[in-house]
């Protein structure tokens, strides 16, 4: 079992236009904790910094400042060499995340070999089939030799999940894993993730823009706005009793068939500039605090 | 022409007059083994109505929308059926028998379309003003410069874009803003029908909401009919009067929105409804609707050849 | 391993049915390499036959003909039974010369093709993959080589190297050095696009080493481009060498189609009307270029599947359009006959 403690993550990008250089802060002092068996949903719009956090957690980007502390259950830190084994990712687009040139077997066998989870060729082949069966791709021996374009979107995403779990990962970053899939398949893939999480006691970071699935598939919701955490808490509390203006706006914007004809009666467009991104409501402590400041600078009303 | 059949679903409004009747429309892709993308579709669109068209990728909903104003490209072809447009003046137009020139005049004038990803369909090197002007001049060559300016400012104001943006280039506008400009362009000639193919899918939820609100409001002001195509059933339930659900090229259910939500008959509709967890309902409510980890064959069905 | 979902029960975990493409053919599974092969078309077949025939002539021909350098007293005779392609001014057998020259030209083309492709692949792919400083440096280098005018430089270098050490390899090296840069630019752009795809990121996240990411994940997706560039490099090298040899700067110890043309020019073949002396080498050069270009067009279809679809769909589209026109005509006829209002109804749309 492995847990992740993210503290005061900051990521700046430099934008060059002509001679001018501007700094864009994509992630501003974000802290969160992933523990085994729990799912944390990271909710926000495009450009809110969700994917940057995913990239930092999977070590595809270096943070400008802040720490990502990954530890085994006994408290010892995960060494660099084992980092890629412990922390894995499921990408958003199943049509882009599998190499069109290689077979399904290659995609799952490679992580197995890299992390020395198998020895002989036959052993690898058997492990690949086992992985495919775990993600409900049966008959596995029929699926394994195929290439990605022969599978449907849902099947590809299952392959991607199998690949992520193949090294024996304990921490899973799922970056919008179902947003590119057909609606009737989405719950199936999410349920699969949920089942695997329970079986392996994974720590999952579920990145999404969809409040409804965030509520149903996570224990905790962290709302991100302009790179800052503006609200966090148990998922039901955040969705049913939102405190921050932005969360309220998101909750209102999500379609809800329980309330038909609501569109017309909505208030007009909200002035984005009126939303205060400088404060954050924490449902765990029941208090407001400043957003975009180090976590150590404790709650101020 | 008195061939207008009774609407397949129940019209919400008894005084509703049809503006578009689609009868027995079949669209076939002439590939090695011909694929029937739309099978015997029957559809009646009433004046001032929002008709939702729901379905998943490859179900034929986009093909149907394109075929309605004959925008489909070969190898797709209309194999059978009739499409009749009932003009506000009382005349009926048989769309399938229009000659090319008549068809060009018909499109956009009477029936306009907002395409999927339309916000990227704006010409990047022309200002919004120039693009609106070109559209107007193509259909109303005798408009004066002043009339064009007034009309352009008017449509932009209607979709909630500041008319000062007329001089902007598309890249200076945000995604939501560009989509609004596209909608403004679609209503430029005051069409009686607007077909919108996933107009908000690429946008963030909050922006999507603003645009939907605008569409609903405009519909009430200008009384055009909307065919709204999307895979997002909850969204349709909120905004449309009636909803048609498509599966494998067939319209499997066409019903008033509230009735569809409460009492869906076709198992696929129920399945689709169950795919969306409710935001405000009790936690885990969707699970009871019996969605499992499997995929239906429909979901993996052949993709439309392009 | 219990599934906690209440209703779905045991069925919940069943597999989704295989995609519809599954049962199409039960034969052996096609490997990734298969999709790199172009589809056979008449043009590709013609190109392959041309290349194959000329290569065969270059390989076997020299063993079947006599000594190309042997001087006879029957100078400048036309094609005859003894000399199918006639003789040169000094009585040498043109056919024998042609066989040796074809071999020489193909040799040069092949060597330069391999060298230039290797250089462009290294500078293009590796630089783009590593990014930052290495990419900047490699880009600068290829840009510099790109703006150097090729042929004049080749002339200068060839002229500078003393004639006795100006062998086949020197010429090949000079040609390769001046022709890799453009390909490297193209490969760099392609690599940048492939590098940003999710599957490369996924390979990195799963812990693949950089060289494996390049060779196993990225390279296969670039192979069609590289193949096309190789073919192009071969054409350019054969033509370039022919040009050099024609102005007398060719390899000293080998005979190529260019040197043949050079001697034909010096021997006043054109004013004397000795067409059998200069037409065959010229024709071979033209046919090599044509054959390789035809092969290249087919490779283009792999790189850009749209080209292929265009060809495949044109026929279908025509048929669909015709069927639809018939339907529209029928509809118009039935609409006009019983209902005289129909034409009037269309009026307001004009």
């Amino acid at each position: 079992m492995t847990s992740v403690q993210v503290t005061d993550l900051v990521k700046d990008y430099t934008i060059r236009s002509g001679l001018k250089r501007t700094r864009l802060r994509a992630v501003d002092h974000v802290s969160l904790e992933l523990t085994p068996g729990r799912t944390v949903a990271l909710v926000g719009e495009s450009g809110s910094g969700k994917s940057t956090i995913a990239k930092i957690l999977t070590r595809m980007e270096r943070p400008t400042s802040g720490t990502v502390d990954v530890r085994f259950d006994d408290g010892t830190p995960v060494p660099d060499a084992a980092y890629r084994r412990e922390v894995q990712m499921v990408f958003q687009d199943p049509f882009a995340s599998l190499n069109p040139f290689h077979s399904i077997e290659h995609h799952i066998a490679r992580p197995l070999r890299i992390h020395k989870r198998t020895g002989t060729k036959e052993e690898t082949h058997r492990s690949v089939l086992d992985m495919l069966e775990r993600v409900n791709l049966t008959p596995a021996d029929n699926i394994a030799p195929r290439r990605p374009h022969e599978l449907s979107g849902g099947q590809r995403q299952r392959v991607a999940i199998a690949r992520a779990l193949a090294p024996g990962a304990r921490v899973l970053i799922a970056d919008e894993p179902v947003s590119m899939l057909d609606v009737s398949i989405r719950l199936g893939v999410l349920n699969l993730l949920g089942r695997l999480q329970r079986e392996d006691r994974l720590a999952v970071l579920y990145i999404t823009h969809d409040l409804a699935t965030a509520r149903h598939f996570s224990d905790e919701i962290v709302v991100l706005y302009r790179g800052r955490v503006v609200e966090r808490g148990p998922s039901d509390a955040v969705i049913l009793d939102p405190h921050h203006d932005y969360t309220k706006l998101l909750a209102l914007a999500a379609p809800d068939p329980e309330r038909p004809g609501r569109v017309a009666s909505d208030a007009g467009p909200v002035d984005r500039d009126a939303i205060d991104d400088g404060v954050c409501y924490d449902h765990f402590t029941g208090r407001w605090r400043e957003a975009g400041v180090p976590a150590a600078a404790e709650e101020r009303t | 022409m008195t061939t207008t059949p009774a609407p397949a679903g129940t019209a919400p409004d008894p005084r509703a007059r049809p503006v578009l009747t689609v009868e027995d429309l079949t669209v076939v892709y002439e590939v090695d083994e011909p694929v029937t993308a739309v099978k015997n579709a029957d559809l009646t669109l009433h004046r001032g109505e929002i008709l939702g068209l729901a379905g998943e990728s490859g179900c034929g909903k986009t093909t149907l929308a394109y075929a309605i104003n004959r925008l489909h490209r070969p190898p797709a072809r209309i194999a059978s059926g009739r499409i009749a447009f009932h003009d506000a003046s009382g005349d009926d137009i048989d769309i399938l028998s229009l000659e090319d020139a008549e068809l060009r005049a018909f499109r956009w004038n009477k029936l306009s379309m907002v395409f999927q990803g339309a916000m990227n369909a704006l010409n990047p090197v022309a200002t919004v003003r120039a693009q609106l002007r070109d559209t107007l001049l193509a259909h109303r060559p005798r408009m004066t410069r002043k009339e064009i300016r007034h009309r352009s400012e008017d449509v932009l104001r209607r979709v909630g874009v500041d008319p000062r943006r007329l001089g902007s280039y598309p890249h200076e506008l945000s995604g939501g803003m560009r989509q609004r400009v596209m909608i403004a362009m679609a209503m430029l000639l005051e069409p009686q029908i607007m077909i919108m193919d996933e107009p908000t899918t690429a946008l963030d939820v909050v922006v999507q909401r603003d645009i939907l609100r605008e569409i609903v409001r405009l519909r009430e002001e200008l009384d055009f009919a909307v065919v709204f195509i999307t895979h997002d059933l909850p969204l349709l339930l909120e905004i449309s009067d009636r909803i048609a659900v498509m599966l494998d090229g067939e319209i499997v259910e066409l019903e008033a929105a509230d009735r569809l939500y409460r009492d869906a008959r076709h198992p696929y509709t129920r399945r689709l409804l169950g795919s969306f967890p409710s935001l405000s309902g009790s936690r885990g409510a969707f699970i009871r609707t019996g969605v499992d980890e499997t995929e239906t064959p429909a979901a993996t069905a052949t993709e439309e050849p392009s | 391993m219990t599934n906690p979902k209440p209703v779905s029960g045991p069925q919940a975990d069943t597999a989704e049915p295989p995609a519809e493409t599954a049962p199409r053919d039960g034969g052996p599974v096609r490997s990734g390499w298969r999709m790199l092969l172009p589809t056979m078309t008449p043009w590709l077949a013609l190109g392959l036959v041309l290349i194959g025939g000329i290569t065969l002539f270059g390989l076997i021909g020299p063993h079947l003909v006599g000594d190309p350098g042997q001087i006879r007293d029957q100078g400048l005779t036309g094609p005859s039974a003894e000399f199918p392609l006639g003789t040169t001014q000094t009585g040498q057998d043109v056919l024998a010369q042609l066989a040796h020259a074809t071999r020489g030209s193909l040799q040069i083309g092949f060597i330069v093709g391999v060298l230039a492709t290797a250089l462009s692949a290294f500078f293009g792919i590796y630089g783009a993959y590593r990014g930052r400083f290495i990419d900047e440096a490699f880009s600068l280098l290829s840009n510099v080589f790109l703006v150097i005018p090729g042929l004049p430089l080749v002339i200068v270098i060839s002229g500078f190297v003393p004639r006795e050490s100006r062998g086949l390899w020197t010429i090949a090296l000079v040609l390769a050095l001046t022709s890799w840069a453009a390909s490297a630019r193209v490969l760099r752009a392609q690599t940048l696009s492939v590098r940003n795809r999710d599957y490369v990121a996924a390979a990195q996240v799963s812990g693949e080493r950089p060289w494996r990411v390049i060779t196993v994940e990225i390279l296969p997706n670039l192979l069609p481009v590289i193949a096309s560039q190789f073919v192009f490099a071969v054409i350019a090298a054969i033509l370039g060498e022919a040009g050099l040899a024609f102005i007398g700067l060719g390899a000293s110890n080998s005979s190529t189609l260019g040197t043949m043309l050079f001697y034909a020019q010096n021997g006043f073949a054109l004013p004397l009307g000795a067409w059998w002396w200069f037409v065959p080498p010229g024709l071979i050069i033209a046919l090599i270029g044509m054959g390789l270009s035809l092969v290249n067009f087919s490779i283009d279809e792999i790189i850009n599947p749209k080209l292929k679809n265009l060809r495949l769909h044109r026929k279908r589209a025509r048929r669909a359009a015709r069927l639809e026109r018939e339907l529209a005509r029928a509809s118009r006829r039935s609409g006009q006959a019983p209902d005289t209002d129909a034409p009037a109804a269309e009026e307001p749309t004009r």
Side-chain angles (χ1 to χ4, degrees):
Chain A
M1 306 301 115
T2 315
S3 48
V4 181
Q5 177 74 52
V6 176
T7 317
D8 289 333
L9 213 57
V10 175
K11 177 72 188 176
D12 289 338
Y13 287 105
T14 324
I15 298 169
R16 261 185 296 180
S17 65
L19 290 175
K20 256 197 309 193
R21 275 166 177 252
T22 36
R23 228 177 30 167
L24 178 82
R25 183 150 287 188
V27 177
D28 194 2
H29 290 95
V30 169
S31 302
L32 48 89
E33 190 178 5
L34 303 177
T35 47
R38 264 173 75 83
T39 303
V40 176
L42 197 56
V43 177
E45 296 173 297
S46 51
S48 62
K50 305 176 295 205
S51 296
T52 310
I53 293 176
K55 281 184 187 157
I56 293 172
L57 281 177
T58 50
R59 294 205 168 169
M60 286 191 282
E61 297 255 12
R62 277 173 210 280
T64 308
S65 71
T67 55
V68 178
D69 188 20
V70 185
R71 284 175 190 275
F72 293 117
D73 253 7
D74 57 6
T76 51
V78 171
D80 280 355
Y83 193 90
R84 295 228 181 273
R85 190 188 70 216
E86 295 295 319
V87 183
Q88 277 295 321
M89 175 155 168
V90 176
F91 290 81
Q92 175 177 14
D93 184 356
F95 296 90
S97 70
L98 301 180
N99 193 335
F101 185 80
H102 293 299
S103 68
I104 300 304
E105 172 144 13
H106 169 95
H107 285 95
I108 299 171
R110 278 310 300 168
L112 288 171
R113 285 214 195 92
I114 295 167
H115 299 284
K116 307 203 170 52
R117 306 238 305 163
T118 58
T120 63
K121 230 176 178 172
E122 267 123 65
E123 211 181 325
T124 312
H125 183 64
R126 228 174 310 119
S127 307
V128 168
L129 296 190
D130 284 348
M131 289 305 304
L132 287 175
E133 268 158 26
R134 272 201 78 192
V135 295
N136 295 331
L137 285 171
T138 50
D141 51 353
N142 181 323
I143 300 274
R146 293 210 220 161
R147 280 191 299 125
H149 73 89
E150 295 174 273
L151 303 185
S152 70
Q155 289 174 318
R156 291 186 203 200
Q157 200 59 304
R158 282 158 200 265
V159 173
I161 292 170
R163 168 177 60 189
L165 294 183
R170 294 290 170 219
V171 180
L172 195 64
I173 317 288
D175 187 1
E176 305 250 17
V178 294
S179 69
M180 304 285 272
L181 303 180
D182 265 333
V183 283
S184 64
I185 310 167
R186 290 185 185 174
L187 282 191
V189 172
L190 284 175
N191 281 338
L192 169 75
L193 273 175
R195 194 194 84 215
L196 294 170
Q197 171 183 38
R198 283 187 296 274
E199 284 171 15
D200 286 3
R201 294 232 323 129
L202 301 172
V204 176
L205 181 66
Y206 173 49
I207 298 177
T208 183
H209 65 272
D210 181 10
L211 281 184
T213 57
R215 175 176 170 224
H216 291 290
F217 282 94
S218 61
D219 305 287
E220 182 186 336
I221 291 184
V222 175
V223 182
L224 213 59
Y225 179 57
R226 293 183 181 167
R228 291 172 177 178
V229 176
V230 293
E231 185 153 358
R232 64 165 13 124
S235 40
D236 273 4
V238 173
I239 303 298
L240 299 178
D241 181 25
H243 277 60
H244 195 278
D245 285 346
Y246 180 68
T247 320
K248 287 180 190 165
L249 187 65
L250 274 184
L252 197 70
D256 191 348
E258 304 275 347
R259 294 175 277 171
R262 196 167 50 99
V263 175
S265 58
D266 274 359
V270 178
D271 182 11
R272 286 299 187 93
D273 296 328
I275 296 176
D276 184 4
D277 60 358
V279 291
C280 162
Y281 186 78
D282 191 335
H283 286 266
F284 293 116
T285 60
R287 272 191 283 182
W288 290 92
R289 50 161 295 194
E290 265 182 83
V293 295
E298 263 314 305
E299 298 99 34
R300 286 168 235 165
T301 5
Chain B
M1 282 206 188
T2 50
T3 47
T4 314
T10 2
D13 186 353
R15 66 180 171 81
R17 290 167 297 140
V19 63
L20 184 80
T21 321
V22 177
E23 284 170 61
D24 193 34
L25 182 72
T26 301
V27 183
V28 179
Y29 278 93
E30 289 289 336
V31 285
D32 289 338
E33 291 162 42
V35 179
T36 311
V38 178
K39 285 176 206 150
N40 311 97
D42 285 305
L43 205 66
T44 309
L45 182 67
H46 300 280
R47 218 158 267 290
E49 171 186 50
I50 297 187
L51 175 73
L53 193 54
E56 298 182 284
S57 62
C59 76
K61 54 189 197 303
T62 301
T63 310
L64 174 59
Y66 275 56
I68 285 177
N69 58 10
R70 283 178 52 195
L71 269 177
H72 60 281
R73 291 258 162 275
R77 72 176 176 96
I78 295 174
S80 74
R82 291 172 48 80
I83 305 171
F85 174 78
H86 313 287
D87 198 28
S89 62
D91 296 324
D92 281 1
I93 298 172
D94 178 4
I95 295 180
L96 292 189
S97 67
L98 291 182
E99 300 283 355
D100 285 354
E102 294 164 338
L103 190 63
R104 271 198 298 279
F106 170 79
R107 286 181 193 149
W108 224 257
N109 224 340
K110 309 267 177 196
L111 186 155
S112 66
M113 205 162 165
V114 178
F115 300 98
Q116 199 167 354
M119 54 187 196
N120 301 323
L122 288 168
N123 183 351
V125 295
T127 58
V128 172
R129 177 184 292 117
Q131 299 188 47
L132 290 175
R133 187 185 57 216
D134 287 352
T135 314
L136 274 173
L137 282 178
H139 290 268
R140 310 267 157 84
R142 260 164 295 180
M143 267 183 111
T144 65
R145 217 182 264 172
K146 202 171 153 199
E147 283 170 337
I148 289 175
R149 203 186 64 224
H150 279 303
R151 182 73 193 134
S152 304
E153 285 174 1
D154 185 46
V155 286
L156 279 196
R157 220 173 283 126
R158 278 187 187 282
V159 296
V161 175
D162 190 338
R164 275 175 298 182
R165 293 292 197 158
L166 271 174
S168 304
Y169 287 90
H171 68 88
E172 296 171 322
L173 305 174
S174 67
M177 203 92 91
R178 280 194 302 244
Q179 194 63 288
R180 283 159 194 265
V181 170
M182 278 314 289
I183 294 171
M185 212 143 180
M187 50 181 280
L188 199 56
L189 304 169
E190 296 182 330
Q192 293 165 46
I193 305 175
M194 270 169 82
I195 298 178
M196 301 191 166
D197 185 7
E198 307 254 8
T200 57
T201 308
L203 303 171
D204 278 320
V205 274
V206 179
V207 183
Q208 165 178 329
R209 200 69 186 178
D210 293 343
I211 288 181
L212 289 180
R213 191 183 305 117
E214 223 66 69
I215 293 172
V216 170
R217 199 175 53 76
L218 286 170
R219 194 270 309 243
E220 272 155 20
E221 274 176 32
L222 304 172
D223 200 39
F224 51 76
V226 177
V227 179
F228 197 102
I229 303 170
T230 180
H231 63 272
D232 194 344
L233 199 51
L235 189 152
L236 283 184
L237 286 167
E238 268 196 60
I239 65 162
S240 35
D241 301 311
R242 289 188 304 148
I243 295 176
V245 178
M246 275 188 91
L247 171 67
D248 277 348
E250 279 177 273
I251 297 179
V252 294
E253 192 153 9
L254 176 60
E255 194 59 85
D258 53 340
R259 201 171 309 166
L260 188 96
Y261 180 56
R262 279 183 281 107
D263 184 24
R265 284 199 212 104
H266 198 275
Y268 179 69
T269 314
R270 286 204 290 274
R271 208 186 129 76
L272 267 188
L273 282 168
S275 301
F276 293 93
S278 156
L279 185 69
S280 54
S282 67
R283 188 175 163 92
F286 65 95
I287 291 179
R288 279 195 290 281
T289 58
V291 175
D292 52 34
E293 283 185 31
T294 60
E295 285 178 26
T296 55
T300 58
T302 48
E303 286 172 20
E304 290 173 27
S306 49
Chain C
M1 268 256 210
T2 44
N3 192 313
K5 273 183 280 86
V7 180
S8 30
Q11 288 180 332
D13 265 4
T14 52
E16 55 196 83
E20 296 218 335
T21 47
R24 201 171 38 200
D25 49 288
V29 181
R30 289 162 296 157
S31 77
W33 299 101
R34 186 55 199 281
M35 84 180 161
L36 294 180
L37 293 180
T39 27
M40 190 52 84
T41 59
W43 293 117
L44 176 62
L46 179 62
L48 288 176
V49 166
L50 277 175
I51 299 301
I54 293 170
T55 310
L56 224 61
F57 178 60
L59 283 177
I60 303 173
H63 300 290
L64 304 180
V65 295
D67 177 13
Q70 190 189 351
I71 294 167
R72 302 179 185 81
D73 52 3
Q74 318 159 272
L76 225 53
T77 56
S80 61
E82 195 187 353
F83 305 111
L85 286 178
T87 57
T88 69
Q89 210 171 22
T90 46
Q92 292 155 325
D93 183 0
V94 174
L95 183 66
Q97 284 203 334
L98 193 69
H100 281 92
T102 304
R103 170 186 276 189
S105 278
L106 286 177
Q107 233 171 355
I108 285 263
F110 186 75
I111 293 170
V112 174
V114 169
L115 282 178
T117 307
L119 281 172
S120 64
F122 176 74
F123 286 106
I125 301 175
Y126 185 71
Y129 179 77
R130 289 296 300 271
R132 288 163 195 270
F133 177 75
I134 294 183
D135 186 29
E136 297 276 333
F138 283 9
S139 280
L140 183 69
L141 190 71
S142 49
N143 284 343
V144 167
F145 270 94
L146 201 60
V147 293
I148 291 175
L151 199 65
L153 178 78
V154 170
I155 293 171
V156 169
I157 295 178
S158 309
F160 189 70
V161 177
R163 190 173 162 75
E164 47 281 7
S165 61
R166 204 197 299 149
L168 184 81
W169 278 92
T170 319
I171 296 295
L173 212 63
V174 167
L175 284 170
L177 275 176
T178 52
S179 66
W180 61 272
S183 306
R185 296 288 304 175
V186 175
L187 276 178
R188 175 173 175 267
Q190 290 279 333
T191 310
L192 284 177
S193 129
V194 174
R195 191 187 66 153
N196 287 328
R197 296 202 189 138
D198 278 353
Y199 58 79
V200 175
Q204 288 165 338
V205 168
S206 64
E208 291 276 21
R209 307 209 160 280
W211 66 267
R212 245 202 104 95
V213 176
I214 293 180
T215 54
V216 178
E217 304 292 334
I218 294 182
L219 200 65
N221 293 292
L222 296 176
L223 275 182
V225 183
I226 295 176
S228 153
Q229 288 175 342
F230 172 76
V231 171
F232 187 74
V234 172
I235 301 178
I238 290 175
L239 291 178
E241 193 280 333
L244 274 185
F246 185 71
I247 54 175
L249 294 170
S252 58
N253 55 355
S254 80
S255 117
T256 66
L257 294 168
T259 46
M260 251 185 107
L261 286 172
F262 170 69
Y263 286 118
Q265 163 77 6
N266 282 357
F268 301 104
L270 201 58
L272 294 173
W275 56 268
W276 57 87
W277 195 358
F278 61 85
V279 167
L283 198 64
I284 294 270
I285 290 179
L287 289 180
I288 290 177
M290 177 174 152
L292 287 174
S293 298
L294 287 174
V295 172
N296 223 351
F297 292 152
S298 295
I299 298 177
D300 277 349
E301 284 186 357
I302 309 174
I303 301 170
N304 184 359
K306 269 189 196 146
L307 293 174
K308 186 163 160 185
N309 289 343
L310 203 70
R311 182 161 53 75
L312 279 176
H313 281 297
R314 214 174 276 147
K315 211 169 79 188
R316 293 172 184 159
R318 265 201 300 273
R319 200 173 69 149
R322 192 186 35 154
L323 286 169
E324 196 170 284
R325 263 201 309 281
E326 279 164 18
L327 183 80
R329 220 172 287 137
S331 150
R332 244 194 312 280
R333 234 175 286 132
S334 68
Q336 272 168 355
D339 190 352
T340 40
D341 285 353
E346 285 164 15
E347 214 62 56
T349 64
R350 294 214 175 106

